[in-house]
Amino acid sequence: MDTLSIAFKPPFPFLQYHVMNQEGYFEELDPDIESTNFANKGLTIVSAYSDGDIDLAFMGITPVIKMKSKDVPGKVTAANHKNGFVVFAHEDFAALWDEHGADAFQMFREEKGRKFKFSTFPKGSVAFILLQYWLREELGISPDLVDIEPMAGGSPVKRSLLSGNVDGTVIMEPIPTALEQRDAPYERITWAGSFMSGQPGGVMFMHDRLWNDHPDIAKSVVAQHSRATETIQKQPTVAAEAVSKAKGDKLPTKIAQKALTSKASNYISDPAQITESTQLFVAQMESLGQIDSGVSNDAIFEQSLYDNIAE
């Protein structure tokens, strides 16, 4: 294998990629590395992967579920993080939430004369599905009480909060930390780990041909991923510098370091830690009509590579 083709995006859920890239871990693999940042490309990672152009993709669990529902070849061979999202709401609503819990949505409507409005990532995203699960399954909130406005990414969501056009969001780090540093009038009212233990987010998705045809390289990739996770856990300053470089002047290292102290920054490599909650996402996506039928964990995950390097 001469070249390993990798697709990624800059956000925090793909932090292992940035550490592996910045710290030279990829250079220890045999093939040359061809990395593509899909942050500003018209073609999505899903499209490029489905066309067969990608060997390894750092992406969210929801597009993986969609691809596996269509029998696209590949498996999750490592998780990137778990419990990585917070529910962020305007401080006025946060006061209602603290006192009344789920009833705060009804009280908000009575007081404001309108629905509570969330902004979040697009309909196929982890954030969107997690928000739907929290409202529908955890709280039993009627759609009559909530509006959800999907947006193109983290920057539009951030702007919607700062402009006061929405009342809250479900979002991953470092956006909550960045807004808190600006004294924005929003608070964390709950965290994914409190209502969905092992909530899946970013993962490393590997094409079948990689471990079928080049098992030693596949095993080495997972080993370097695990090494990057250990670096994140034990040397957060190194990890903060890596993701800050990836995002340029959009993310100061100081903010990245602060975000890594959040309980929403839970970096892992073992896929087994997210398999149970992945099925909650599968069920929610089926309920929302995003996939036609359920997808088993056997179809989504390949645990053996991680187990082999963990022995």
Side-chain angles (χ1 to χ4, degrees):
M1 188 175 192
D2 296 325
T3 304
L4 180 68
S5 178
I6 302 175
F8 74 97
K9 286 188 175 183
F12 255 51
F14 315 113
L15 188 50
Q16 280 91 343
Y17 168 81
H18 303 303
V19 172
M20 293 163 78
N21 185 48
Q22 295 291 340
E23 294 302 298
Y25 297 174
F26 283 125
E27 295 171 10
E28 299 186 23
L29 303 174
D30 288 336
D32 293 332
I33 303 300
E34 183 181 89
S35 294
T36 303
N37 182 348
F38 279 79
N40 299 310
K41 290 193 171 289
L43 184 68
T44 66
I45 289 179
V46 170
S47 297
Y49 186 96
S50 299
D51 288 343
D53 297 333
I54 305 297
D55 300 307
L56 196 68
F58 288 80
M59 61 198 308
I61 192 66
T62 48
V64 167
I65 292 168
K66 282 188 175 181
M67 286 197 294
K68 294 311 301 181
S69 74
K70 298 178 181 178
D71 294 323
V72 174
K75 295 282 184 71
V76 173
T77 54
N80 293 346
H81 71 149
K82 65 178 182 178
N83 305 333
F85 285 75
V86 299
V87 182
F88 212 47
H90 193 277
E91 59 191 12
D92 292 344
F93 180 83
L96 286 175
W97 174 266
D98 288 343
E99 188 172 353
H100 303 285
D103 291 339
F105 287 99
Q106 178 65 45
M107 299 183 71
F108 179 92
R109 175 151 192 172
E110 292 172 358
E111 289 183 8
K112 303 288 187 180
R114 63 175 178 84
K115 299 179 183 181
F116 185 98
K117 187 174 183 179
F118 282 102
S119 62
T120 191
F121 285 18
K123 288 185 177 182
S125 68
V126 174
F128 182 86
I129 299 300
L130 184 63
L131 174 56
Q132 292 282 353
Y133 175 87
W134 181 63
L135 292 171
R136 291 157 54 120
E137 310 298 335
E138 184 71 12
L139 303 182
I141 297 299
S142 166
D144 295 336
L145 299 177
V146 174
D147 276 331
I148 300 174
E149 183 176 357
M151 295 188 169
S155 294
V157 170
K158 194 159 118 179
R159 288 194 295 270
S160 72
L161 293 166
L162 290 171
S163 66
N165 290 330
V166 299
D167 306 299
T169 187
V170 169
I171 203 78
M172 74 284 190
E173 292 289 1
I175 292 174
T177 295
L179 290 172
E180 287 164 348
Q181 295 300 300
R182 296 179 62 167
D183 293 322
Y186 292 88
E187 297 179 13
R188 303 170 193 236
I189 64 171
T190 191
W191 161 64
S194 69
F195 61 85
M196 185 189 284
S197 179
Q199 173 255 311
V203 295
M204 186 170 74
F205 191 61
M206 184 181 290
H207 201 286
D208 291 350
R209 64 174 173 251
L210 187 53
W211 74 74
N212 285 335
D213 300 341
H214 308 280
D216 290 343
I217 295 174
K219 184 176 178 181
S220 295
V221 168
V222 175
Q224 295 299 345
H225 186 285
S226 185
R227 179 184 176 192
T229 297
E230 186 174 354
T231 298
I232 296 166
Q233 293 169 347
K234 295 182 178 179
Q235 298 176 271
T237 300
V238 172
E241 289 174 353
V243 71
S244 184
K245 285 180 183 177
K247 291 186 71 68
D249 57 5
K250 294 181 179 180
L251 178 62
T253 302
K254 185 176 179 180
I255 298 294
Q257 287 178 303
K258 179 71 174 173
L260 284 172
T261 67
S262 164
K263 64 181 179 181
S265 293
N266 298 281
Y267 291 91
I268 60 173
S269 286
D270 184 0
Q273 295 190 38
I274 64 168
T275 52
E276 184 175 345
S277 54
T278 291
Q279 282 303 306
L280 297 177
F281 270 65
V282 170
Q284 198 64 210
M285 292 171 71
E286 186 177 4
S287 173
L288 292 167
Q290 295 196 358
I291 56 176
D292 293 332
S293 61
V295 184
S296 72
N297 279 341
D298 285 344
I300 298 169
F301 294 95
E302 177 55 55
Q303 182 70 31
S304 65
L305 291 171
Y306 177 81
D307 288 347
N308 286 338
I309 65 104
E311 290 177 353

